[in-house]
Amino acid sequence: MNKSFAKPVSTFDVANIRADFPILARTVHGKPLVFLDSAASAQKPRQVIDAVTKVYSQEYANVHRGAYYLSETATANYEAAREKVRAFINARSVSEIVFTKGATEAINLVAATYGRAFLKAGDEIVLTAVEHHSNIVPWQLLRDATGCVLRIAPVSPDGSIDIAEFAKVIGPKTKLVAIAHVSNVLGTVLPVREIADLAHAVGAKIMLDGCQGIVHRHVDVQDLGCDFYVFSGHKLYGPTGIGVLWARAALLDAMPPYQGGGDMIDTVTFAKTTWAQPPAKFEAGTPPIVQAIGLGAAIDYLNSLDRIAVAEHEDALLRYAMTRLAQIPGVRLIGTAPHKAAVQSFVMEGAHPHDLATVLDRHGVCVRAGHHCAQPLMEALGVTATTRASFGLYNTMEEVDALANALVRAQEVLL
Amino acid sequence: MNVAPLSDDLRALYQETILDHAKHPRNARLVEHHTCKAQGNNPMCGDKVTVTAQVTDDGRLQAIGFEGKGCAISIASASMMTEALSGQSVADARRLFDAVHDLCTGKVEATAVKEKLAPAAADSVDKLASLSGVRQFPVRVKCATLPWHALISCLDGKGQTTTEK
């Protein structure tokens, strides 16, 4: 190992954490697994895997239906997961927590219900240039259906969102601001509190895409000042197939239902159906019961850790990665905003991200290569694709070294 | 630093011929008086390759070129494709598409590759055979076949194609 790199010493006991994640013990192509793609989907701790197994093997039945012990148990566990989510994001009430199949569905829900009911031709929705496709396309569908207008706040070359530039895009016609809390490509932490104030000053609502934010930042929805907050469970060390929409109670009351079906009704006759109260109003059909309980277990797991120490560990990983990557000749960091979470994109001169990812994989290093579901951002940054390393609480400084060393090997292969 | 030797399949994927064509692509241009044009997209990575060709009345590829941004595999494949097909008949181009497709997906034995690629000139056959390295990398097969799909769309008179068909 090159001794010239001073490796930060973390007081966080990462070895202990890693022991909780069974997959981290495996090898890939004969090399120890170095998993640096947690921003796409995080690995799961034993506590989540066990919770899911326990439901299926001992406590499974449908919820909100049967008047028998197992169904009551499943219902209680499902609703307990809702309370865990409520407490995790400091929502006022569990009735503000809607379970969805993911963040994508949560955004589509807001667009299809709030959007269709309250936005009309000429109204403006403000997005930023850093958005994930899942926070662009639902609004385009809404635009095509209603004639509302999308306006895009620009991104600075370092990946920041400049509040003064943002203010120029917002105006009296703005009815909704829908932006990332943290960029999935650049790691930029957006100035969401200030943007929320700008939105509210013109009478607009603000929705935050919290897929990365919930993982890397302490989220208090009341403190953030937003009106909607969405995230997915699988990036927060929970199962796939579960997401959360939080919205202020008054908004959920005013919004029409999303899908019709069982569990979302009060009474049904062929002449007229009345809706259940939120959140049931937005949870038609059998919900992702086990996935919700698994998400609850992931939240329990995170609550069992010193989250300030976790945040410091991730920040140290990011700083070390930025330093090591920048020292490799031909590597250019993409996303160097002052306020960043542990996500780092980069490009390497003469080597396409796809080729890099292939070579890295043969060294056991998993990274994401491509446009990261953010093609407009790629265009704004003047690149077609990037390679992205994203860090979770289980990553180590040695894994950053493994990434840097594998990149040097990749240069030997590709250049 | 303890450095493990490079794996054989990586060497097979990124062999000299591939890297040479990736770094110095041939016919990387728009054919001026082209009679057909098509763009191939790989939505997974955002890579795009546009193929233009000038087809004569008697069905020959008088000129063929490509423009695009992509990984070493897709650019090398496009470059070798244009080299192999310049002056060939449209019928042979279609036969070569099938051959390269089978070659990359592993449907044809490595020993039978050259036979399959027979419509191409001898020196092109060896180069195209080097694409078979992608067999060990299933997610990269589409990179190698993208320009060929664009070629077929071009010859069929369709403007767009995607690897996700």
Side-chain angles (χ1 to χ4, degrees):
Chain A
M1 203 55 63
N2 192 327
K3 290 194 175 65
S4 66
F5 300 113
K7 208 169 296 177
V9 180
S10 173
T11 51
F12 178 69
D13 190 355
V14 71
N16 238 349
I17 296 284
R18 290 178 69 81
D20 289 332
F21 290 80
I23 203 170
L24 298 181
R26 68 159 291 171
T27 57
V28 170
H29 303 302
K31 307 278 171 28
L33 169 65
V34 176
F35 190 75
L36 301 180
D37 196 22
S38 296
S41 200
Q43 300 298 345
K44 319 305 174 199
R46 189 172 28 79
Q47 290 82 345
V48 168
I49 299 167
D50 288 351
V52 167
T53 305
K54 188 181 174 203
V55 179
Y56 279 130
S57 54
Q58 294 176 38
E59 296 176 336
Y60 184 78
N62 211 331
V63 294
H64 304 148
R65 286 161 176 80
Y68 52 90
Y69 172 75
L70 270 189
S71 178
E72 284 171 4
T73 304
T75 303
N77 289 340
Y78 178 70
E79 292 304 328
R82 198 188 306 276
E83 165 56 24
K84 288 173 189 178
V85 171
R86 184 209 64 76
F88 194 66
I89 62 173
N90 194 32
R92 280 181 199 277
S93 160
V94 285
S95 63
E96 293 181 334
I97 307 296
V98 177
F99 283 130
T100 63
K101 71 175 182 183
T104 296
E105 187 181 48
I107 297 173
N108 277 279
L109 189 162
V110 175
T113 64
Y114 181 81
R116 299 236 180 177
F118 296 105
L119 270 73
K120 55 185 192 308
D123 287 347
E124 292 180 356
I125 301 174
V126 174
L127 315 175
T128 76
V130 307
E131 301 310 320
H132 189 283
H133 293 165
S134 63
N135 195 29
I136 298 173
V137 183
W139 308 116
Q140 291 176 325
L141 294 172
L142 180 67
R143 173 194 63 191
D144 296 344
T146 64
C148 67
V149 176
L150 304 187
R151 301 200 61 191
I152 312 301
V155 58
S156 305
D158 71 349
S160 303
I161 298 296
D162 184 86
I163 196 78
E165 290 296 319
F166 199 101
K168 290 180 191 167
V169 183
I170 218 162
K173 289 183 181 168
T174 308
K175 289 291 179 294
L176 182 70
V177 173
I179 58 171
H181 184 183
V182 171
S183 160
N184 70 307
V185 179
L186 307 167
T188 309
V189 180
L190 275 70
V192 291
R193 176 75 241 192
E194 291 91 327
I195 293 174
D197 290 343
L198 286 177
H200 292 149
V202 296
K205 304 294 182 209
I206 175 166
M207 190 212 78
L208 298 182
D209 168 1
C211 284
Q212 307 297 334
I214 194 81
V215 182
H216 298 293
R217 287 294 180 270
H218 172 69
V219 171
D220 178 328
V221 289
Q222 299 186 54
D223 207 40
L224 284 172
C226 56
D227 300 292
F228 302 92
Y229 196 94
V230 308
F231 63 93
S232 53
H234 68 98
K235 289 180 167 77
L236 195 65
Y237 310 101
T240 55
I242 182 73
V244 171
L245 162 66
W246 168 83
R248 293 182 187 280
L251 290 168
L252 290 178
D253 284 337
M255 284 153 59
Y258 178 45
Q259 294 177 327
D263 226 22
M264 54 74 73
I265 52 87
D266 182 20
T267 59
V268 177
T269 66
F270 281 111
K272 183 174 170 53
T273 293
T274 55
W275 319 129
Q277 293 300 307
K281 178 170 134 187
F282 301 100
E283 294 183 6
T286 295
I289 302 164
V290 185
Q291 290 80 356
I293 295 169
L295 172 59
I299 288 172
D300 284 344
Y301 178 73
L302 291 170
N303 285 336
S304 76
L305 307 174
D306 176 352
R307 292 206 74 204
I308 292 173
V310 169
E312 285 171 353
H313 173 67
E314 289 181 357
D315 194 53
L317 284 168
L318 175 69
R319 298 296 147 202
Y320 186 52
M322 290 178 81
T323 305
R324 290 250 20 208
L325 292 173
Q327 283 169 340
I328 300 171
V331 167
R332 180 162 65 92
L333 300 181
I334 305 286
T336 53
H339 298 291
K340 275 195 58 160
V343 173
Q344 188 60 54
S345 273
F346 58 93
V347 291
M348 184 188 275
E349 207 178 308
H352 188 279
H354 244 190
D355 297 313
L356 276 184
T358 292
V359 179
L360 261 47
D361 177 56
R362 283 316 203 250
H363 290 82
V365 181
C366 309
V367 292
R368 177 92 184 263
H371 53 60
H372 316 288
C373 298
Q375 288 182 346
L377 174 61
M378 296 293 111
E379 205 179 325
L381 296 171
V383 295
T384 48
T386 73
T387 307
R388 179 188 73 184
S390 56
F391 301 94
L393 48 83
Y394 37 60
N395 289 121
T396 66
M397 301 299 167
E398 288 73 22
E399 290 180 312
V400 175
D401 288 334
L403 167 67
N405 293 337
L407 284 170
V408 173
R409 295 309 307 281
Q411 288 184 317
E412 291 165 15
V413 179
L414 299 170
L415 302 186
Chain B
M1 194 167 65
N2 185 14
V3 174
L6 271 185
S7 61
D8 289 343
D9 50 2
L10 268 185
R11 284 188 195 288
L13 183 64
Y14 294 111
Q15 50 191 283
E16 209 55 39
T17 317
I18 300 271
L19 292 176
D20 174 48
H21 277 263
K23 288 177 204 164
H24 312 288
R26 329 292 200 255
N27 305 307
R29 63 190 163 83
L30 189 80
V31 172
E32 218 175 309
H33 301 291
H34 61 265
T35 54
C36 59
K37 175 179 181 177
Q39 179 174 290
N41 297 324
N42 184 345
M44 198 183 98
C45 59
D47 284 359
K48 291 180 175 66
V49 173
T50 300
V51 172
T52 48
Q54 188 184 5
V55 181
T56 59
D57 291 342
D58 62 346
R60 286 206 170 268
L61 289 157
Q62 175 94 8
I64 174 167
F66 78 99
E67 285 182 315
K69 294 217 164 141
C71 62
I73 307 301
S74 62
I75 297 302
S77 180
S79 169
M80 295 191 292
M81 176 182 83
T82 58
E83 222 179 35
L85 293 182
S86 290
Q88 298 272 12
S89 72
V90 169
D92 277 347
R94 290 183 189 278
R95 272 196 282 279
L96 259 188
F97 168 85
D98 289 337
V100 169
H101 194 269
D102 290 352
L103 171 77
C104 294
T105 53
K107 278 185 196 150
V108 50
E109 289 301 316
T111 47
V113 162
K114 293 193 177 180
E115 212 174 301
K116 265 281 226 180
L117 295 172
D123 58 333
S124 289
V125 168
D126 283 338
K127 289 183 185 177
L128 290 173
S130 68
L131 287 171
S132 66
V134 296
R135 289 161 179 231
Q136 301 305 320
F137 299 83
V139 297
R140 306 302 303 277
V141 170
K142 286 174 178 175
C143 308
T145 56
L146 176 64
W148 294 82
H149 281 289
L151 165 78
I152 293 301
S153 287
C154 182
L155 297 177
D156 287 348
K158 294 178 188 150
Q160 290 265 341
T161 188
T162 161
T163 56
E164 303 303 296
K165 281 198 292 197

